[in-house]
Every structure is written in C-alpha cells, then in structure tokens.
Amino acid sequence: MPKISQRTGAAATAMLGLGTYRPHRVVSNDELCEVLDSNDEWIQSRTGIQRRRFAGDDETLVDMATAAAEGALKAAGVTAGQLGTVILATSSHAQHTPHAAPLVADRIGSKAASFDVGAGCAGFCHALSVASDLVRGGTAEYVLVIGVEKISQFIDPTDRSTAMIFADGAGAVVVGAAEEAGIGPVAWGSDGSQSHVIGQSPGCREVDAEHKPVVHMQGQAVFRWAPFAMADVAREAVANAGLEMSDLDAFVPHQANMRITDTLVRNLKLPAGIPVARDIADSGNTSAASVPLAIERMIRDGEASVGDTALLIAFGAGLSFASQVVTLPPVVEA
C-alpha cells in the first residue's frame, strides 16, 4: 500500500507585522443620540465608549481589509507573493458568495488560498491560531490574518443594545516562522446553547429592500457570561503557554464593553500595573477587528512595546471564544 507523505513546518511561529485601518468618520455619542433615545453620560457609564468610527460609502469592507493587509505586509517585510494563505475574519461581509478573502488577496496581488472565518467577535483569535498551525504544519510559509468589520451597515440606529456599541475598522497581521515561539497554544471553544444571545435578524431568506438584516444582542446576558467564563479561558491560555500571569506585559481583551473589561481584569487578578487595552473608548466594539486595533493603539500610545508578552482573548456570537499568549509584533509606521 502506498504511503502518503506529510509536510513538516516551522518549530515556532509569531506575528511578524501588524497593519490597521480606521475609518475617517468619527461619530460622537451626541451624534448617535440625535436618533437614539440615550445620552452621552449614560453611554459612557454603561459602555465606556466616547466615540467610534463608521465607514463611509467609499470605505468598503474589502477596502479596509486591503489597507490593513498592506500595512501588515510592509511591517513584516513580506511580499504578497510569499503568502501561502489569507484568512479573513468578519461578521459583516454583505455577500455570502464570493467571500471576502479572495477579493482582498486579488487586491494585494496574491493567488494564495483564501477563505473567510465567521466566529463573531472571536474571529481574529480563531484565525490567528489556524494561521500558526498552517505554518507549523508546513502548509504555508506566511499567512495573512485579517479581522475586519463594516458592522455599522447592519445596526438599527434606534436599538439601545447595539447602536451605541458597534463600529467599523480593520486590523491584519502576517504570521510566519520565528526563532522563538510568539504565538502560544490556543484555548478556545463555543456554547451554542446561548446562540440566541447575539445574532442577526431577519435571516437572508427574509431580506428585502425594506428589511435589511440587523445585529441584535442581549447585553445583560453577555455581561453575566463574558467576564466570568472568559477568566477561566484566559487562565487556560496562560497555562498552555507554560507561563504565569506575572509573566505578562500586557492584556488585550476583545473591546466589547469597558465594564466587561474591568470585571474580567478583577477576576483574573492580573499583576498590579499591567497595561490593559481600552481602545473601546475611541473605537467602539469593532468585533473581529477589535483585538488587532487594540494592539496597535497600545503600541502607538506607548502602553506596550514590540516584543512584549501579551494575553489576547476574544469572545462573541456563537457563543464563541478564543485566547492565546503572543509576542507583540512590529507595527507599520503611519
């Protein structure tokens, strides 16, 4: 019987470069409240959000993903032709077919295998783990991972549970071989019994010109779940990496809600003074883009440095979640 050969790849992987894209339009709480029945003080007290960005008609999801991808390639010193795979995480690509990743690959000049990942707000951390395994398995030398959302197009501006929360943006990293491990083993999972907590309605079969699909969320249910259940997942990720909480230089949680972040930090009992990403104040919840955007903000603002050891965790619709310890990558200069 013939023997099937298998590939072997890099012993260790890391994020080699990071690029981001933030839409031009900044939307204040006061502007939202011209339609939404709320006010700036209430929004800040409940979410920590002061402003967010919405993409315009001239900033498509593919446009934003492409800009972030080009930045990541530049920061990593890798060409599009060297990519073996492109993985794009999103919940807001308006078409099921064609999926967005091949469109981005074509824009940057790559013929790499390309596919989308739909894991809600946890999509980037899912894709990052898959990318690392592809490089370690020898399937690809370099993998481009993109988290991107234009979720503002699927929001009911009068819905107090979502309109003040979600926003748009993109972040991308290049994953490749490294001398030392820069992406730890993932801790991940899902709980489909709570799929109703975050969803989209109406479904695609029900959509017409007057009834576009919009995101809905049970905010209190998310708050009761995320900062408590995710503490155990984060601890598992740190243990998987063979580290202790005291080894961490930074904590980068999904930018879901400032109160969720604060509660999660307390439950984790992180070392005093450890920098915690709080990009949500200026960017809102950008779903699959929130983790790379938060990393970029921490590095740009001097709260963390390239080479620091950081704990990532993301969670959202599904309910799905993923966490890993990483080494923070170089960021493209603006």
Side-chain angles (χ1 to χ4, degrees), residues 62 65-66 69 73 80-90 93 96-118 127 130-131 134 139-140 142-146:
V62 172
T66 299
L73 289 169
Q82 293 176 281
L83 295 173
T85 315
V86 176
I87 309 174
L88 186 147
T90 188
H93 182 47
H96 286 295
T97 304
H99 46 298
L103 305 180
V104 176
D106 181 64
R107 289 271 193 98
I108 63 175
S110 172
K111 298 294 184 182
S114 304
F115 57 91
D116 290 3
V117 168
V130 173
L134 286 172
T139 301
Y142 298 103
V143 179
L144 177 64
V145 175
I146 307 166

Side-chain angles (χ1 to χ4, degrees), residues 15 25 119 126 158-159 169 177 196-197 209 241-242 266-267 321:
M15 296 185 289
R25 181 187 170 200
H126 277 72
T158 66
D159 184 352
H196 60 283
V197 171
R266 288 195 298 270
N267 289 341
F321 49 89

Side-chain angles (χ1 to χ4, degrees), residues 239-263:
N240 288 348
L243 300 176
E244 304 288 342
M245 290 292 178
S246 58
D247 295 316
L248 299 175
D249 298 310
F251 178 43
V252 188
H254 164 51
Q255 302 295 284
N257 179 301
M258 195 75 81
R259 293 199 303 161
I260 289 177
T261 294
D262 290 341
T263 306

Side-chain angles (χ1 to χ4, degrees), residues 19 21 41 56 74 119 121 144 166 187 325:
Y21 181 87
E41 182 181 1
K74 181 179 178 182
C121 299
L144 177 64
F166 292 104
V325 177

Side-chain angles (χ1 to χ4, degrees), residues 109-301:
S110 172
K111 298 294 184 182
S114 304
F115 57 91
D116 290 3
V117 168
C121 299
F124 178 82
C125 288
H126 277 72
L128 182 62
S129 178
V130 173
S132 177
D133 287 349
L134 286 172
V135 175
R136 293 187 66 204
T139 301
E141 183 178 6
Y142 298 103
V143 179
L144 177 64
V145 175
I146 307 166
V148 57
E149 301 289 2
K150 190 173 180 178
I151 204 166
S152 61
Q153 63 187 327
F154 298 114
I155 295 299
D156 176 353
T158 66
D159 184 352
R160 288 166 60 94
S161 69
T162 58
M164 67 186 71
I165 298 290
F166 292 104
D168 305 333
V173 297
V174 174
V175 174
E179 292 184 3
E180 296 184 358
I183 301 174
V186 69
W188 57 359
S190 67
D191 183 0
S193 70
Q194 298 194 70
S195 60
H196 60 283
V197 171
I198 307 172
Q200 185 185 65
S201 61
C204 290
R205 294 179 182 178
E206 306 166 272
V207 173
D208 58 36
E210 296 182 359
H211 301 90
K212 69 176 183 178
V214 294
V215 174
H216 61 81
M217 180 172 65
Q218 298 178 19
Q220 286 301 315
V222 174
F223 185 81
R224 288 193 298 267
W225 170 74
F228 304 98
M230 291 305 96
D232 289 336
V233 177
R235 293 187 192 99
E236 181 184 348
V238 173
N240 288 348
L243 300 176
E244 304 288 342
M245 290 292 178
S246 58
D247 295 316
L248 299 175
D249 298 310
F251 178 43
V252 188
H254 164 51
Q255 302 295 284
N257 179 301
M258 195 75 81
R259 293 199 303 161
I260 289 177
T261 294
D262 290 341
T263 306
L264 182 55
V265 167
R266 288 195 298 270
N267 289 341
L268 283 174
K269 297 180 173 58
L270 292 172
I274 186 172
V276 177
R278 300 185 187 277
D279 186 44
I280 190 170
D282 290 318
S283 300
N285 178 341
T286 53
S287 188
S290 84
V291 167
L293 285 171
I295 292 173
E296 185 271 342
R297 175 62 62 88
M298 291 191 82
I299 293 174
R300 174 159 53 88
D301 289 353

